[in-house]
Amino acid sequence: QKEVEQNSGPLSVPEGAIASLNCTYSDRGSQSFFWYRQYSGKSPELIMFIYSNGDKEDGRFTAQLNKASQYVSLLIRDSQPSDSATYLCAVSGGYSTLTFGKGTMLLVSP
Amino acid sequence: GAGVSQTPSNKVTEKGKYVELRCDPISGHTALYWYRQSLGQGPEFLIYFQGTGAADDSGLPNDRFFAVRPEGSVSTLKIQRTERGDSAVYLCASSPIGGEQFFGPGTRLTVL
């Protein structure tokens, strides 16, 4: 059974700091990796995806993938209070269906 | 443009009743997904449609759950003989082939 593991948190960081969110997955056949942000009471919103080993940067966000270690991470630089949300890691194999982790709650204090 | 819409936004029903949840995907998106999210959990995959057919229904928990997409656009998730354990937010997502999944606002189902 495919599993995606995340620390539930909450992860608390001060405004302006770097937030580091981590995720491990069990299925070595996973090919695509996603980070979704979910505000309380709202639906998930895609913020990053990564397919290849290494880093991918988009603005304040950097996704990192290490397939050998089955590890994905998301770094948020210059964290803002508006970044406070639950961050969901999701993986996909050959099909498009996503397997999600439970999410990590991030709290950014002003 | 319009995003994914889901109706109703909230549904309260009694144990043993039948419910239907509707999803209207983004126009032109051929892929449609249903997920279920319980409190404190990530979304859990239920079923995936490519066009009118169910390409993968391996996530449906049992035969009380059924979904259709007869014209390749709107989809309906049907739950028979509801149980309290079915209470959750039911999320629908759509995507173009191989593209990003866009989620709807969800339907919060409460089974009393």
Side-chain angles (χ1 to χ4, degrees):
Chain A
Q1 184 174 356
K2 300 176 185 178
E3 292 184 348
V4 178
E5 299 289 340
Q6 295 182 256
N7 188 323
S8 61
L11 172 66
S12 295
V13 300
E15 184 175 357
I18 296 175
S20 178
L21 303 159
N22 305 313
C23 169
T24 59
Y25 60 94
S26 64
D27 183 6
R28 285 195 171 274
S30 299
Q31 298 177 8
S32 308
F33 307 85
F34 305 84
W35 284 99
Y36 283 80
R37 178 175 61 198
Q38 187 172 29
Y39 291 113
S40 181
K42 302 295 185 182
S43 56
E45 171 193 14
L46 181 67
I47 53 172
M48 289 286 290
F49 62 88
I50 186 167
Y51 302 136
S52 303
N53 276 330
D55 296 359
K56 180 181 178 183
E57 186 174 320
D58 184 1
R60 296 186 296 114
F61 300 95
T62 299
Q64 299 174 317
L65 174 61
N66 184 325
K67 289 187 177 181
S69 300
Q70 296 175 246
Y71 177 88
V72 193
S73 66
L74 179 70
L75 299 178
I76 306 174
R77 289 180 298 281
D78 189 24
S79 296
Q80 301 297 308
S82 59
D83 294 327
S84 297
T86 295
Y87 288 80
L88 297 162
C89 174
V91 305
S92 176
Y95 296 99
S96 301
T97 59
L98 298 172
T99 301
F100 285 87
K102 292 183 178 181
T104 298
M105 182 182 294
L106 173 65
L107 299 175
V108 182
S109 54
Chain B
V4 179
S5 62
Q6 292 187 245
T7 55
S9 55
N10 281 283
K11 176 70 178 179
V12 180
T13 191
E14 294 179 343
K15 180 176 180 294
K17 299 291 188 181
Y18 168 83
V19 297
E20 290 189 351
L21 312 179
R22 176 188 167 108
C23 172
D24 201 336
I26 293 172
S27 178
H29 282 189
T30 57
L32 185 146
Y33 311 80
W34 283 99
Y35 295 86
R36 175 170 71 174
Q37 187 172 25
S38 300
L39 193 63
Q41 304 293 315
E44 172 193 20
F45 166 72
L46 297 176
I47 187 168
Y48 157 49
F49 287 91
Q50 186 59 253
T52 60
D56 184 352
D57 64 358
S58 62
L60 295 177
N62 52 59
D63 62 5
R64 295 187 298 106
F65 289 74
F66 188 71
V68 295
R69 194 185 185 199
E71 298 180 355
S73 179
V74 171
S75 175
T76 304
L77 178 65
K78 308 180 180 191
I79 310 174
Q80 298 177 323
R81 304 183 304 279
T82 51
E83 300 177 357
R84 292 192 180 88
D86 299 335
S87 296
V89 176
Y90 288 79
L91 294 165
C92 175
S94 72
S95 77
I97 295 176
E100 173 186 349
Q101 292 186 31
F102 293 86
F103 283 82
T107 293
R108 181 175 299 279
L109 175 66
T110 303
V111 182
L112 301 177

